[in-house]
Amino acid sequence: MSAFELMTAMGHEQVVFCHDPQTDLKAIIAIHNTNLGPALGGCRMWAYHTEEEALRDVLRLSRGMTYKAAVANLKLGGGKAVIIGDPKKIKSEALFRSFGKFVDSLGGKYITAEDVNIRVADMEHVAKETKHVTGLSSKPGGSGDPSPVTALGVFHGVRAAVKHKLKTDDLKDVRVMVLGVGAVGSYLCGYLHEKGAKLTVADLDSEKVQEMVTKYGAKVVDPATAHMADVDVFSPCALGAGLNDTTIPQIKATIVAGGANNQLLDEKTHGKLLMDRGILYAPDYVINAGGLINVYQEIQGYNRDAALKKASEIYDTLLKIFIESDARKIPTHQASNLIAERAFLK
């Protein structure tokens, strides 16, 4: 499909291709919908194999941000950016400042923040060229790293799923497999451990895995087989598209509730496949909205307590989605989509 065909199919307003020959910046900014407010969404850096792969990823991610903001009742639209390249090789102040200039050229229609392989320090460089950045620690009222609040929202989402599926408010001895123990996954492990959950973890980074073993006594499995772990909750917190034709039939958990974006490879097919197998799925853009909530509070005038309280409301939001899913006999992601679309489609 062409770029315009992809945009039309997913309902995007604007896609900006960015290139700076001096820094070799190659980036794509996707703005999905701004009916409720400016498009806010993080920027990730990834060594995509092809430009089409990068385009499809940023389109999916930005669309998810629209739904995420709408379900969380935030006056924001959905946007996202990707920088193409190996983060271990191409990061520089000049590259991020160049990206900042492209963001600034949009006049506030897109607000950027950190995402996969991007840190607050990188966004500080972006902020030297544009005010349309959030999640900073240096500016007055900056909220800094949103990962702890994202993880807190995922934690409350796990609680809601356990309540609905396992009929208990107690996480003690509930077995949780956390795939990906980076910024969000590691904080999630801490919240779960505090409530007595039994943790199993997997990550390509052995140092991060060992930290979870040392801190929380977590068991370790191979990332390639993490979805097959004999647990109650499978919590994917790495990259998306991990729920697909191959993995779903192998899942032993009765709950999938994690912080990764775009977990379903194909929404129509794989959401129903999970439902047919009796697996309760917490829609990703609902359960991982804590980071967006956190940076939205920064735009409003940052109040940490307000951000944490709003993130805790993910518990009630998911329970409503689960109830609507049961009542309509539709997959949970369809139930959450209906709620979101009532808000942003005009």
Side-chain angles (χ1 to χ4, degrees):
M1 295 177 73
S2 71
F4 277 110
E5 287 172 332
L6 287 169
M7 287 176 63
T8 301
M10 300 185 75
H12 281 74
E13 295 178 8
Q14 185 175 4
V15 176
V16 180
F17 290 83
C18 315
H19 179 234
D20 175 16
Q22 291 187 333
T23 63
D24 201 28
L25 170 74
K26 296 183 179 70
I28 309 173
I29 300 171
I31 296 171
H32 178 256
N33 186 285
T34 56
N35 284 342
L36 296 178
L40 192 154
C43 172
R44 67 174 46 183
M45 182 179 287
W46 194 257
Y48 294 99
H49 293 104
T50 65
E51 292 172 8
E52 182 178 355
E53 182 185 5
L55 176 60
R56 287 181 178 274
D57 197 31
V58 76
L59 291 177
R60 282 164 53 92
L61 290 166
S62 54
R63 178 176 178 270
M65 293 302 294
T66 296
Y67 283 78
K68 183 183 297 189
V71 168
N73 196 28
L74 305 176
K75 295 195 178 301
L76 293 171
K80 210 78 175 184
V82 296
I83 296 176
I84 301 171
D86 186 340
K88 294 181 179 179
K89 296 179 180 178
I90 71 167
K91 278 192 177 187
S92 70
E93 177 178 346
L95 181 137
F96 285 112
R97 293 187 69 163
S98 177
F99 173 69
K101 291 176 183 177
F102 282 106
V103 172
D104 198 60
S105 71
L106 294 169
K109 191 174 183 181
Y110 169 66
I111 302 169
T112 195
E114 67 165 304
D115 201 334
V116 175
N117 289 324
I118 303 289
R119 294 294 175 257
V120 174
D122 302 322
M123 286 291 109
E124 300 284 0
H125 296 315
V126 175
K128 293 173 182 176
E129 301 295 341
T130 182
K131 65 180 180 180
H132 305 300
V133 186
T134 190
L136 302 177
S137 56
S138 62
K139 76 175 186 180
S143 61
D145 183 4
S147 300
V149 185
T150 303
L152 181 66
V154 176
F155 165 72
H156 286 300
V158 171
R159 287 181 54 236
V162 168
K163 172 69 174 178
H164 189 78
K165 186 71 176 180
L166 304 183
K167 311 303 181 186
T168 179
D169 289 311
D170 191 358
L171 291 182
K172 189 176 188 311
D173 294 330
V174 172
R175 300 166 301 161
V176 184
M177 167 73 243
V178 180
L179 172 59
V181 288
V184 172
S186 59
Y187 282 111
L188 175 61
C189 286
Y191 295 136
L192 292 168
H193 175 75
E194 185 178 351
K195 295 300 180 182
K198 292 184 175 179
L199 295 172
T200 303
V201 299
D203 197 292
L204 294 173
D205 190 323
S206 59
E207 291 184 8
K208 292 177 181 177
V209 167
Q210 187 55 49
E211 183 180 356
M212 297 302 100
V213 173
T214 302
K215 282 185 174 181
Y216 309 125
K219 296 180 181 179
V220 180
V221 298
D222 188 324
T225 58
H227 63 283
M228 300 168 62
D230 187 12
V231 294
D232 303 300
V233 181
F234 173 46
S235 185
C237 293
L239 292 176
L243 301 176
N244 51 56
D245 288 338
T246 300
T247 60
I248 291 174
Q250 298 173 331
I251 294 174
K252 294 185 175 68
T254 56
I255 294 168
V256 175
N261 286 308
N262 297 320
Q263 293 171 34
L264 301 172
L265 178 61
D266 180 86
E267 284 190 356
K268 293 180 181 179
T269 302
H270 299 123
K272 187 176 186 304
L273 184 56
L274 285 167
M275 183 179 74
D276 290 346
R277 289 208 59 224
I279 298 171
L280 180 64
Y281 171 61
D284 46 39
Y285 67 82
V286 181
I287 193 172
N288 68 16
L292 181 62
I293 288 167
N294 191 63
V295 295
Y296 178 70
Q297 289 295 326
E298 181 178 317
I299 295 170
Q300 300 299 300
Y302 191 64
N303 182 308
R304 179 83 171 171
D305 291 339
L308 296 176
K309 182 178 183 300
K310 186 71 174 175
S312 72
E313 294 173 6
I314 289 173
Y315 177 90
D316 292 325
T317 300
L318 278 170
L319 286 179
K320 291 175 183 176
I321 289 168
F322 296 152
I323 291 169
E324 181 154 349
S325 169
D326 289 345
R328 291 177 173 264
K329 295 181 171 53
I330 59 175
T332 53
H333 78 280
Q334 287 186 17
S336 61
N337 285 355
L338 288 174
I339 293 171
E341 287 164 2
R342 289 175 201 143
F344 76 81
L345 288 180
K346 297 181 180 181

